[in-house]
Amino acid sequence: MEHILPAYNDPLFSIMLIVVISLIIALVTYGWGLHKQQKEEGNLLKFLEKFDTAECALETADMPFEPHMLKPLTILAKAFENAGEYHKAISIYLFLIKNITHDPGKIELMERLGSTYLHAGFLERSQSIYTEVLRKKPRNVQALYELGIVYEIMQKYDKAKEVLGPLNMLGEETRSLEKFLDFSELLANKTLSIPDKVQKLKQILKEEPSLYRHIIKALLQLDTKSAWESIDPERIKELLDILWFLPNSQLDLDIITSNKQLQTLYYAKGYLQEPATQSGIFSIDMLATAKQNGFEEGDLVFSYLCQKCKQSFPVSFKRCPNCMAINSVKVEEKIAKSSPKTDYSLL
């Protein structure tokens, strides 16, 4: 035996010892990594059990899973989501997350699950999903943005603003989003006096002109005089629906009669008697010309286009209901025949 094993003072002994220790360390590391992975998968399954409830309409418990099913089932889930059948999309996403093995795929599916919960209105669940995604992948920009949206909808504005810090560190431009949150928080504040709120709204408008439409609309609810003083003659088109549905009692005739566009708009609406037909807005000029020639049954109907995702909606929005973009609404109008009781306020 002495001739087989090298003596302790033999250089070969030191080499063998290093090799043995390296093997032991490698085995322990591998075993620990395997244990950690299994524990992580167990924790994820336990986490997902909280969301696997009766609202999940598709029966997936006994459904066999094959890797080639991933892509078609993901497409099917997205189709259900686009159709508004969120409960079915949720069932499929939960089924896929539980069955696929590669982490990047799980993270992507969890992002989609969080987005589905967000659009379906399950805000607490969406928050939990995004928090779990960020625990696994802290530098996930999309998850950070959507977690901020969840906090915003829940009116947890402090938490929504906390999300801006990591986004800034990742090189994202968040100034417009920060001002949007300031504006939303200000509107939700029930303790601030109306004069203070009006003053702060005007300040935000100076700092962030992209909030023009939303701030003018808010000012019209708080202080009509301040709202009219803040209207930009070059940006009338952005407020066309708001001004069209404004009650007669909220008009400022001094400002209106000094502006050709406003004169024509309110002549076409029927609030002014003196003819005016030169606003530079085709639909308004057509209605005004028709009125001047005795046809008074014209009206305007409005739709609202998101300039980012190009989806159109019948009602106005601060955030696009589809892509959640801010400051992306574009007012589109078309001439229609008036019907009884179209004179209502958007405020």
Side-chain angles (χ1 to χ4, degrees):
M1 197 70 174
E2 293 176 356
H3 299 291
I4 297 174
L5 295 174
Y8 72 91
N9 57 354
D10 191 323
L12 285 175
F13 180 81
S14 299
I15 294 171
M16 284 182 63
L17 187 62
I18 292 170
V19 170
V20 169
I21 292 172
S22 299
L23 285 171
I24 293 171
I25 292 172
L27 287 170
V28 170
T29 303
Y30 174 76
W32 175 252
L34 193 61
H35 169 71
K36 189 176 179 182
Q37 182 181 355
Q38 290 174 342
K39 186 178 179 181
E40 190 74 20
E41 288 178 358
N43 289 339
L44 179 60
L45 290 174
K46 194 173 180 181
F47 172 75
L48 291 173
E49 282 175 6
K50 297 188 296 182
F51 306 100
D52 202 358
T53 60
E55 77 197 20
C56 301
L58 299 181
E59 183 55 56
T60 58
D62 300 321
M63 185 188 298
F65 177 77
E66 297 294 337
H68 65 268
M69 297 168 63
L70 175 60
K71 188 172 182 180
L73 282 178
T74 303
I75 294 172
L76 179 61
K78 189 63 181 174
F80 279 138
E81 185 180 349
N82 291 338
E85 298 189 66
Y86 299 114
H87 52 298
K88 293 181 180 179
I90 289 166
S91 293
I92 295 174
Y93 285 138
L94 287 169
F95 172 74
L96 291 175
I97 293 167
K98 289 177 181 178
N99 285 280
I100 67 171
T101 55
H102 52 292
D103 281 345
K106 286 192 181 200
I107 295 294
E108 183 182 344
L109 287 169
M110 287 180 71
E111 285 182 56
R112 294 192 180 196
L113 179 61
S115 177
T116 306
Y117 276 132
L118 172 58
H119 283 89
F122 297 113
L123 300 179
E124 294 284 355
R125 295 189 175 197
S126 183
Q127 177 189 334
S128 297
I129 291 291
Y130 284 127
T131 302
E132 181 68 12
V133 168
L134 290 168
R135 188 181 70 81
K136 294 173 176 291
K137 192 178 176 184
R139 298 173 66 85
N140 190 318
V141 171
Q142 187 63 28
L144 283 166
Y145 269 119
E146 299 208 358
L147 179 61
I149 293 170
V150 172
Y151 285 139
E152 175 198 322
I153 296 172
M154 296 170 76
Q155 295 194 354
K156 296 181 178 180
Y157 296 108
D158 289 342
K159 287 186 172 291
K161 289 177 182 178
E162 286 176 10
V163 174
L164 300 181
L167 286 171
N168 280 324
M169 292 174 63
L170 293 170
E172 295 294 306
E173 176 53 54
T174 61
R175 185 180 179 281
S176 293
L177 180 55
E178 183 179 1
K179 292 301 176 184
F180 180 81
L181 290 173
D182 288 341
F183 165 71
S184 300
E185 185 176 20
L186 182 60
L187 286 189
N189 190 329
K190 303 299 182 185
T191 61
L192 204 62
S193 68
I194 288 179
D196 287 343
K197 193 173 282 192
V198 167
Q199 190 60 38
K200 288 180 181 290
L201 284 170
K202 286 182 174 181
Q203 184 60 38
I204 293 174
L205 180 57
K206 285 180 184 177
E207 296 171 356
E208 189 56 45
S210 63
L211 289 169
Y212 171 71
R213 172 181 167 82
H214 305 311
I215 290 177
I216 295 297
K217 183 177 178 180
L219 286 173
L220 283 167
Q221 294 175 314
L222 298 170
D223 184 351
T224 302
K225 186 173 185 298
S226 294
W228 279 102
E229 288 172 352
S230 301
I231 288 177
D232 183 349
E234 301 298 319
R235 302 180 73 177
I236 301 275
K237 186 77 164 63
E238 295 175 47
L239 306 174
L240 194 56
D241 58 328
I242 296 172
L243 296 174
W244 183 257
F245 292 119
L246 202 63
N248 202 339
S249 59
Q250 285 191 275
L251 302 187
D252 188 316
L253 292 177
D254 291 335
I255 292 176
I256 290 170
T257 53
S258 66
N259 182 286
K260 276 287 184 185
Q261 279 190 320
L262 292 173
Q263 270 186 294
T264 307
L265 188 151
Y266 285 114
Y267 171 69
K269 178 69 175 176
Y271 289 166
L272 299 181
Q273 298 305 314
E274 186 176 341
T277 58
Q278 296 180 1
S279 71
I281 302 172
F282 177 76
S283 55
I284 297 293
D285 290 345
M286 287 291 291
L287 282 179
T289 302
K291 180 179 173 61
Q292 191 178 24
N293 287 281
F295 181 79
E296 300 191 5
E297 296 182 12
D299 198 1
L300 290 181
V301 293
F302 297 92
S303 60
Y304 303 88
L305 178 73
C306 173
Q307 297 180 81
K308 183 175 180 182
C309 69
K310 306 306 179 185
Q311 291 287 319
S312 185
F313 303 91
V315 293
S316 185
F317 52 85
K318 292 186 181 74
R319 273 194 182 275
C320 172
N322 181 55
C323 69
M324 296 295 176
I326 61 172
N327 305 326
S328 65
V329 63
K330 181 183 179 183
V331 181
E332 297 186 320
E333 80 286 347
K334 65 179 180 180
I335 299 172
K337 186 176 181 180
S338 62
S339 57
K341 292 191 177 180
T342 58
D343 186 15
Y344 58 88
S345 173
L346 285 181
L347 303 177

